[in-house]
mmCIF file of all heavy atoms in Angstrom:
data_model
loop_
_atom_site.group_PDB
_atom_site.id
_atom_site.type_symbol
_atom_site.label_atom_id
_atom_site.label_comp_id
_atom_site.label_asym_id
_atom_site.label_seq_id
_atom_site.Cartn_x
_atom_site.Cartn_y
_atom_site.Cartn_z
ATOM 1 N N GLN A 38 40.322 -225.287 48.328
ATOM 2 C CA GLN A 38 38.899 -225.524 48.461
ATOM 3 C C GLN A 38 38.712 -226.869 49.158
ATOM 4 O O GLN A 38 39.108 -227.902 48.590
ATOM 5 C CB GLN A 38 38.145 -225.474 47.157
ATOM 6 C CG GLN A 38 36.728 -225.550 47.222
ATOM 7 C CD GLN A 38 35.995 -225.388 45.934
ATOM 8 O OE1 GLN A 38 36.527 -225.562 44.920
ATOM 9 N NE2 GLN A 38 34.704 -225.036 45.923
ATOM 10 N N GLU A 39 38.283 -226.887 50.286
ATOM 11 C CA GLU A 39 37.898 -228.092 51.001
ATOM 12 C C GLU A 39 36.542 -228.587 50.593
ATOM 13 O O GLU A 39 35.634 -227.786 50.221
ATOM 14 C CB GLU A 39 37.971 -227.867 52.510
ATOM 15 C CG GLU A 39 39.370 -227.463 52.970
ATOM 16 C CD GLU A 39 39.301 -227.086 54.494
ATOM 17 O OE1 GLU A 39 39.159 -225.931 54.807
ATOM 18 O OE2 GLU A 39 39.578 -228.020 55.284
ATOM 19 N N SER A 40 36.299 -229.827 50.816
ATOM 20 C CA SER A 40 35.106 -230.524 50.330
ATOM 21 C C SER A 40 33.792 -229.691 50.992
ATOM 22 O O SER A 40 33.794 -229.589 52.217
ATOM 23 C CB SER A 40 35.045 -231.886 50.803
ATOM 24 O OG SER A 40 33.895 -232.607 50.312
ATOM 25 N N GLY A 41 32.951 -229.423 50.160
ATOM 26 C CA GLY A 41 31.727 -228.681 50.605
ATOM 27 C C GLY A 41 31.875 -227.262 50.995
ATOM 28 O O GLY A 41 30.856 -226.756 51.547
ATOM 29 N N LYS A 42 32.975 -226.624 50.678
ATOM 30 C CA LYS A 42 33.114 -225.321 51.056
ATOM 31 C C LYS A 42 33.594 -224.498 49.773
ATOM 32 O O LYS A 42 34.053 -225.046 48.743
ATOM 33 C CB LYS A 42 34.222 -225.121 52.158
ATOM 34 C CG LYS A 42 33.982 -225.777 53.372
ATOM 35 C CD LYS A 42 34.976 -225.596 54.444
ATOM 36 C CE LYS A 42 34.636 -226.252 55.726
ATOM 37 N NZ LYS A 42 35.876 -225.997 56.836
ATOM 38 N N GLY A 43 33.495 -223.110 49.935
ATOM 39 C CA GLY A 43 33.971 -222.222 48.769
ATOM 40 C C GLY A 43 35.416 -222.168 48.955
ATOM 41 O O GLY A 43 36.007 -222.440 49.896
ATOM 42 N N PRO A 44 36.146 -221.692 47.881
ATOM 43 C CA PRO A 44 37.582 -221.511 47.766
ATOM 44 C C PRO A 44 38.033 -220.444 48.890
ATOM 45 O O PRO A 44 37.218 -219.454 49.100
ATOM 46 C CB PRO A 44 37.798 -220.947 46.399
ATOM 47 C CG PRO A 44 36.648 -221.426 45.602
ATOM 48 C CD PRO A 44 35.432 -221.470 46.499
ATOM 49 N N GLN A 45 39.079 -220.723 49.539
ATOM 50 C CA GLN A 45 39.638 -219.851 50.483
ATOM 51 C C GLN A 45 41.051 -219.362 50.093
ATOM 52 O O GLN A 45 41.840 -220.080 49.654
ATOM 53 C CB GLN A 45 39.715 -220.695 51.844
ATOM 54 C CG GLN A 45 40.356 -219.913 53.065
ATOM 55 C CD GLN A 45 40.519 -220.853 54.235
ATOM 56 O OE1 GLN A 45 40.438 -222.001 54.124
ATOM 57 N NE2 GLN A 45 40.520 -220.270 55.337
ATOM 58 N N PHE A 46 41.177 -218.017 50.158
ATOM 59 C CA PHE A 46 42.578 -217.397 49.877
ATOM 60 C C PHE A 46 43.559 -218.050 50.707
ATOM 61 O O PHE A 46 43.555 -218.275 51.919
ATOM 62 C CB PHE A 46 42.462 -215.982 50.070
ATOM 63 C CG PHE A 46 43.754 -215.207 49.938
ATOM 64 C CD1 PHE A 46 44.133 -214.650 48.770
ATOM 65 C CD2 PHE A 46 44.483 -215.007 51.136
ATOM 66 C CE1 PHE A 46 45.297 -213.892 48.624
ATOM 67 C CE2 PHE A 46 45.707 -214.287 50.899
ATOM 68 C CZ PHE A 46 46.080 -213.823 49.633
ATOM 69 N N ILE A 47 44.780 -218.351 50.038
ATOM 70 C CA ILE A 47 45.929 -218.873 50.669
ATOM 71 C C ILE A 47 47.031 -217.872 50.612
ATOM 72 O O ILE A 47 47.587 -217.449 51.602
ATOM 73 C CB ILE A 47 46.517 -220.099 50.149
ATOM 74 C CG1 ILE A 47 45.534 -221.209 50.088
ATOM 75 C CG2 ILE A 47 47.749 -220.697 50.892
ATOM 76 C CD1 ILE A 47 46.067 -222.447 49.273
ATOM 77 N N ILE A 48 47.490 -217.430 49.433
ATOM 78 C CA ILE A 48 48.604 -216.420 49.245
ATOM 79 C C ILE A 48 48.415 -215.883 47.830
ATOM 80 O O ILE A 48 47.926 -216.566 46.940
ATOM 81 C CB ILE A 48 49.949 -217.247 49.515
ATOM 82 C CG1 ILE A 48 51.143 -216.214 49.566
ATOM 83 C CG2 ILE A 48 50.232 -218.245 48.437
ATOM 84 C CD1 ILE A 48 52.268 -216.944 50.063
ATOM 85 N N ASP A 49 48.932 -214.696 47.736
ATOM 86 C CA ASP A 49 49.035 -214.065 46.389
ATOM 87 C C ASP A 49 50.435 -213.557 46.044
ATOM 88 O O ASP A 49 51.243 -213.509 46.936
ATOM 89 C CB ASP A 49 48.049 -212.962 46.349
ATOM 90 C CG ASP A 49 48.201 -211.883 47.383
ATOM 91 O OD1 ASP A 49 49.185 -211.822 48.140
ATOM 92 O OD2 ASP A 49 47.484 -210.861 47.402
ATOM 93 N N ILE A 50 50.556 -213.276 44.879
ATOM 94 C CA ILE A 50 51.871 -212.715 44.417
ATOM 95 C C ILE A 50 51.731 -211.675 43.236
ATOM 96 O O ILE A 50 50.838 -212.088 42.356
ATOM 97 C CB ILE A 50 52.882 -213.855 44.134
ATOM 98 C CG1 ILE A 50 54.313 -213.177 43.870
ATOM 99 C CG2 ILE A 50 52.505 -214.662 42.876
ATOM 100 C CD1 ILE A 50 55.426 -214.250 43.896
ATOM 101 N N ARG A 51 52.463 -210.712 43.196
ATOM 102 C CA ARG A 51 52.316 -209.759 42.017
ATOM 103 C C ARG A 51 53.506 -210.162 41.099
ATOM 104 O O ARG A 51 54.501 -210.561 41.450
ATOM 105 C CB ARG A 51 52.473 -208.289 42.571
ATOM 106 C CG ARG A 51 51.208 -207.903 43.271
ATOM 107 C CD ARG A 51 50.702 -206.579 43.119
ATOM 108 N NE ARG A 51 49.406 -206.387 43.841
ATOM 109 C CZ ARG A 51 48.276 -206.390 43.231
ATOM 110 N NH1 ARG A 51 48.206 -206.646 41.918
ATOM 111 N NH2 ARG A 51 47.129 -206.370 43.926
ATOM 112 N N SER A 52 53.448 -209.623 39.874
ATOM 113 C CA SER A 52 54.356 -210.023 38.848
ATOM 114 C C SER A 52 55.734 -209.376 39.081
ATOM 115 O O SER A 52 56.733 -209.826 38.336
ATOM 116 C CB SER A 52 53.892 -209.750 37.413
ATOM 117 O OG SER A 52 53.489 -208.323 37.298
ATOM 118 N N ASN A 53 55.842 -208.437 39.936
ATOM 119 C CA ASN A 53 57.235 -207.708 40.167
ATOM 120 C C ASN A 53 57.956 -208.580 41.233
ATOM 121 O O ASN A 53 59.055 -208.135 41.631
ATOM 122 C CB ASN A 53 56.966 -206.407 40.603
ATOM 123 C CG ASN A 53 56.279 -206.179 41.896
ATOM 124 O OD1 ASN A 53 55.575 -207.138 42.411
ATOM 125 N ND2 ASN A 53 56.142 -204.959 42.417
#
Side-chain angles (χ1 to χ4, degrees):
Chain A
Q38 187 173 22
E39 296 175 275
S40 184
K42 298 183 179 179
Q45 179 183 15
F46 173 91
I47 303 173
I48 192 167
D49 58 2
I50 189 168
R51 297 216 171 263
S52 59
N53 60 352

